[in-house]
Amino acid sequence: MRLRCVCSDWKEAAKGTIVPSEFKVDRVKKIRLMETMTTALPNLQHLSIYDIADGWGHGYMSGDNPDERGRAYRRTHDLGIIANFQKLRSLSIIKAPLNGQYPVLFNFPLLEKLTINDNFPFPNYIKWDLKMLERLPMLRELECRLNEAMSGNLSSLRVLKDNLEKVVISGCRNVAGNFMDLADF
């Protein structure tokens, strides 16, 4: 079998390439770029996902068990591709109208910061329970605002008591419990 080598100019160019520390998905072009990055730059550590609505009917694919109140799109893009970023440390979902359950969002063992914030008047219907956070053992910061479909009890956060430093939960009506349950952190 013939030995295949990469041109030395390419090697030098690759050494000089600046890997982005954060990648912000806020347009359709960036969705396509993120698809490429899952193989080219699998070590991405910070990812922010925003609404990609562009007036042409683009949006994110609904997750499992979607809510009937969510928006419908003519052309959808799969959010599951982010599962390839296994070294992700920070994940922000801001103003991205997601609908349903997305187990892929909770399969990052190195994740330290999770932010899920809503976009009025197009609410998130990301269905998830606080118990799902046990799959994020390194989580230090959690911020969740205005998510009607989030549920669970604050006592579920006890599994993270060795690492969790900051918790912001606001406008999530289906969350039960009292922050005093976490007083011994």
Side-chain angles (χ1 to χ4, degrees), residues 31-129:
I31 282 278
R32 294 184 186 126
L33 182 58
M34 183 173 69
E35 290 169 357
T36 303
M37 288 175 61
T38 59
T39 53
L41 297 171
N43 296 333
L44 185 71
Q45 294 187 8
H46 305 284
L47 180 63
S48 297
I49 299 171
Y50 291 81
D51 190 358
I52 57 167
D54 60 355
W56 295 98
H58 287 270
Y60 296 108
M61 190 177 294
S62 291
D64 302 334
N65 193 19
D67 193 291
E68 66 277 355
R69 297 174 288 176
R71 292 195 280 181
Y73 299 101
R74 285 185 281 153
R75 176 131 189 220
T76 59
H77 301 276
D78 186 11
L79 198 60
I81 61 173
I82 69 170
N84 294 330
F85 297 121
Q86 283 299 303
K87 296 194 178 180
L88 208 58
R89 303 244 187 229
S90 172
L91 176 61
S92 298
I93 301 170
I94 301 171
K95 300 180 181 180
L98 301 178
N99 185 13
Q101 296 170 338
Y102 295 87
V104 68
L105 300 177
F106 302 95
N107 288 329
F108 299 104
L110 301 177
L111 196 70
E112 296 176 354
K113 182 178 179 182
L114 177 63
T115 303
I116 301 176
N117 288 339
D118 198 4
N119 177 28
F120 183 81
F122 303 109
N124 272 334
Y125 296 111
I126 301 175
K127 296 179 180 180
W128 65 285
D129 191 285

